[in-house]
């Protein structure tokens, strides 16, 4: 198991943040509810995609295995087995990105409260500047969607990693002096 995947507390953590009823309502509202009983129901695929976002460097099957291991321990899976990697790819395509966008828009809010250490200073919410980059295929469609980084001579054609910057809530993670 990857070193960072061990930090994931399985499906329990994700179902605490994103309640199953909410996920089901979002999936239905987006018209992505399954028409027949599947090995990978839409709700599980949503949680799987969230886990993949948290642990993008871990292999698909390892993320799924860790995601459902708590259910197996509680004997809630019965004869269910982890499907092939290709089935996970197809399930992601079937679901699409709309349910995740709607889920985010429905639930996004500041996490920290004034009672949480490190979230406020003199009555003001503390925020952190953060950013990330993604490796994407170097193709005309991605260039049109994301653009290219600039340099003193125009656009840099040597690399292609679009990024995003954000201003996240401190959410109870105070800075450590000397770090």
């Amino acid at each position: 198991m990857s070193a960072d995947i061990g930090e994931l507390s399985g499906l329990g953590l994700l179902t605490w943040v994103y309640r199953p009823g909410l996920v089901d309502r979002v999936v239905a509202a987006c018209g992505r509810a399954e028409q027949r009983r599947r090995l990978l129901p839409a709700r599980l695929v949503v949680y799987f995609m969230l886990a993949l976002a948290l642990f993008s460097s871990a292999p698909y099957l390892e993320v799924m295995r860790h995601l459902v291991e708590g259910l197996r321990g509680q004997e809630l899976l019965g004869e269910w087995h982890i499907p092939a990697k290709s089935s996970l790819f197809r399930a992601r395509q079937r679901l699409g990105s709309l349910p995740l966008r709607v889920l985010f828009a429905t639930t996004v809010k500041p996490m920290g409260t004034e009672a949480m250490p490190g979230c406020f200073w003199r009555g003001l919410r503390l925020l952190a500047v953060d950013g990330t980059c993604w490796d994407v295929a170097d193709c005309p469609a991605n260039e049109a969607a994301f653009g290219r980084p600039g340099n003193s001579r125009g656009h840099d054609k040597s690399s292609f990693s679009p990024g995003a910057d954000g201003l996240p809530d401190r959410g109870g993670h105070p800075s450590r002096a000397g770090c």
Side-chain angles (χ1 to χ4, degrees):
M1 184 177 281
S2 302
D4 58 352
I5 193 87
E7 297 172 14
L8 182 63
S9 298
L11 196 53
L13 173 66
L14 290 173
T15 59
W16 179 74
V17 176
Y18 300 102
R19 299 287 184 201
L22 172 64
V23 172
D24 291 343
R25 286 191 302 276
V26 166
V27 166
C30 294
R32 299 302 201 287
E34 54 271 346
Q35 302 302 312
R36 59 187 175 93
R37 190 166 181 206
R38 295 185 175 273
L39 182 62
L40 289 167
R43 179 197 298 170
L44 180 58
V45 177
V46 168
Y47 290 127
F48 175 62
M49 290 171 69
L50 291 168
L52 284 175
L54 292 172
F55 300 97
S56 58
S57 63
Y60 265 44
L61 296 177
E62 188 174 334
V63 171
M64 179 57 83
R65 206 172 290 119
H66 191 77
L67 192 62
V68 298
E69 79 181 8
L71 297 176
R72 189 168 307 289
Q74 297 172 15
E75 298 181 7
L76 296 174
L77 292 181
E79 297 297 317
W80 189 87
H81 63 280
I82 294 174
K85 190 173 169 181
S86 60
S87 297
L88 295 172
F89 281 118
R90 283 193 305 274
R92 284 185 65 193
Q93 287 178 328
R94 201 171 38 248
L95 185 69
S97 63
L98 182 61
L100 292 176
R101 288 189 301 218
V102 172
L103 186 63
F104 175 77
T106 304
T107 58
V108 67
K109 64 181 180 186
M111 298 292 287
T113 65
E114 290 195 46
M116 294 173 77
C119 291
F120 283 80
W121 178 73
R122 295 186 179 180
L124 301 173
R125 180 176 299 281
L126 294 177
L127 301 174
V129 177
D130 196 5
T132 189
C133 290
W134 298 278
D135 291 328
V136 298
D138 190 355
C139 66
N142 282 338
E143 184 174 359
F146 301 112
R148 287 201 178 264
N151 61 26
S152 62
R153 295 179 305 274
H155 290 291
D156 182 3
K157 296 286 187 181
S158 64
S159 65
F160 190 50
S161 295
D165 296 316
L167 201 59
D169 177 32
R170 296 281 302 154
H173 299 286
S175 300
R176 294 188 178 106
C179 291

